[in-house]
Structures are given as C-alpha cells and as structure tokens.
Amino acid sequence: MSDLPNQPAAVAQTMDINEIMSLLPHRYPFLLIDRLIEIERKKRVVALKNVTVNEPHFAGHFPNFPIMPGVLIIEAIAQAGAALLLTEIPDRASKLMVFTSIDDARFRRPVVPGDQLRIEVTVLNWRSNAVKMRGIATVDGKLACEATVMCALTNRKTAEPAAAPTGVSAE
C-alpha cells in the first residue's frame, strides 16, 4: 500500500483469472485472457490465453478447420491492456475501457485449438482518459498477430428498468 494520497495500491506482478475478473467486466464467452504473468505499472503487461476447441467461435470459424478469429486476438490484446490500465483507476467499478481505434493490424499465422497465445502489450502513450498501446500475440515464439490499439476510459452507466408503456396494464 502506498502512503501517498491519491496513489493506487501496489500492483501484483501476476494475476489469475479471478483477479482479472475483478478488473474487467468481460465474462465467458468473451473474456479472452486467462492469466497475467508480467505487469509493469503503466508500461507493459504479458498475458496468456489458452485456446481450446470448446470455444463457441470454433463451431463456425471454420468447420473442420478451426482458426481463432483475428478480431478476437485483437480483443485479447485490448483486454490485456485494459487489465493493466484498470489497475491504476481507483473508481474502476464505475468505469469502462472501450476501443477507440485499431491501427496497423497484421495477422501472421493461424491460432488453433491447443495453442497458448502469449500477448505482450506495451504502452505507447498514457493520458488520464485514453491510452495508445502496441500489442503482439505469439504462439511458441512465433508472431501470430500485431496491432496498435487505442482505448478510452468512459463512465459505466447502470441500466435502468424500462418503464411500462402508458395505458398498458401489468395484469
């Protein structure tokens, strides 16, 4: 714990799935990182994603030749970066990190069931409400995907129950 006011608590050097879920709002089937294995505050994070054949996207992408969709690999990069960023936000329960751009995305090799995706995200520019990051995803040391992503911090709005239309009885 830091003794300085307005300073976030020290960040662990690794995080398991339960700790990740305490930071990110994503849940199955859209939580795409399993573990954070390296964390450097405001600089860099390394995450792992174990790719398994029972993930729902493999049923249609592609039958008899399952390949993890590239957009999901980029989403995993963004989730790893968001996990790093949200460790620095004291009121994160009321905030969301959302995509604002994806640049220079390149896909170099297919990611298939049985692979372990190693996702390394490096912060290029950090502002109080937006971050630009460079992500690379590798399998067995070979580049699978790379992209530059930008995310912005926004307020999380709680859903209010829809009002019943006027003149309609609830009976």
Side-chain angles (χ1 to χ4, degrees), residues 49-69 72 111-114:
K49 160 70 175 141
N50 296 308
V51 181
T52 61
V53 75
N54 60 340
E55 294 175 56
H57 50 267
F58 287 129
H61 198 269
F62 297 99
N64 301 316
F65 191 69
I67 298 173
M68 185 173 182
L72 295 183
V111 175
V112 298

Side-chain angles (χ1 to χ4, degrees), residues 20 23-27 29-34 36 45 47 49 72-86 97 99 119 121 133 149 151:
I20 292 168
L23 292 173
L24 298 179
H26 305 79
R27 295 296 180 264
F30 219 71
L31 180 58
L32 298 173
I33 55 175
D34 297 318
L36 301 182
V45 65
K49 160 70 175 141
L72 295 183
I73 300 170
I74 292 176
E75 174 67 23
I77 288 170
Q79 287 182 18
L84 173 67
L85 306 176
L86 288 169
M97 289 300 297
F99 260 132
I119 302 155
V121 179
M133 302 170 286
V149 297
C151 297

